[in-house]
Amino acid sequence: MSEKIINLTCLLIIEEAKDILTNYPATHQAAFEQPSLRNQLINQVLSQIPEQSYTILNESEQLPKNPRRFYSCIEDRMMVEKLIHQSIIALLQEQNEMLHSLPQQDDSCSATTPMNANKKLYRWFGY
């Protein structure tokens, strides 16, 4: 019978992040529906927790349905919640900065631009 090591801290972060995100605007929730951003959130929070809890499960055993019961200390839970909030904000800011740093397309030659806005272009054609 094989056994697997389960990171209970990771399970707690996943559950807490789900609950915390329900209090954020729908646009923020949608952003974290992307697996890559959700994984970044989990990894960022996990990397800041020094003492993590693990358990070993046999192949036939199920994951704990409520990982919160392993974290009865309110200070630990509060720290996890704080880290999740901080990481959500940091990752959303990072995403926003990345979107705004993309080069903007030059629409000066579009069909909807008035003709006198493109005088240099028209002069080149002899107008």
Side-chain angles (χ1 to χ4, degrees), residues 16 19 54 73 75 81 84 97 101 103 112:
E16 291 291 340
D19 290 348
Y54 297 86
C73 177
E75 289 85 14
E81 288 178 14
I84 291 171
E97 289 170 5
S101 70
T112 59

Side-chain angles (χ1 to χ4, degrees), residues 27-121:
T27 55
H28 293 52
Q29 292 177 33
F32 285 96
E33 287 176 5
Q34 299 174 33
S36 63
L37 194 58
R38 186 175 48 248
N39 288 341
Q40 282 182 324
L41 173 64
I42 294 164
N43 287 332
Q44 189 167 338
V45 175
L46 267 176
S47 70
Q48 297 178 64
I49 299 177
E51 294 180 26
Q52 298 183 26
S53 296
Y54 297 86
T55 190
I56 298 174
L57 295 180
N58 291 323
E59 189 177 293
S60 60
E61 290 180 295
Q62 298 286 327
L63 290 173
K65 293 192 189 262
N66 186 7
R68 290 180 180 109
R69 69 185 170 133
F70 297 105
Y71 287 87
S72 57
C73 177
I74 192 72
E75 289 85 14
D76 290 346
R77 296 257 318 265
M78 296 289 287
M79 179 189 67
V80 168
E81 288 178 14
K82 180 181 173 185
L83 290 171
I84 291 171
H85 283 289
Q86 290 172 344
S87 296
I88 287 171
I89 292 167
L91 289 169
L92 288 172
Q93 286 176 340
E94 187 179 300
Q95 289 281 315
N96 192 31
E97 289 170 5
M98 284 177 36
L99 287 173
H100 290 299
S101 70
L102 294 175
Q104 299 294 321
Q105 288 184 336
D106 184 17
D107 290 339
S108 62
C109 296
S110 69
T112 59
T113 305
M115 284 183 27
N116 51 354
N118 290 319
K119 286 184 180 178
K120 291 181 184 174
L121 179 65

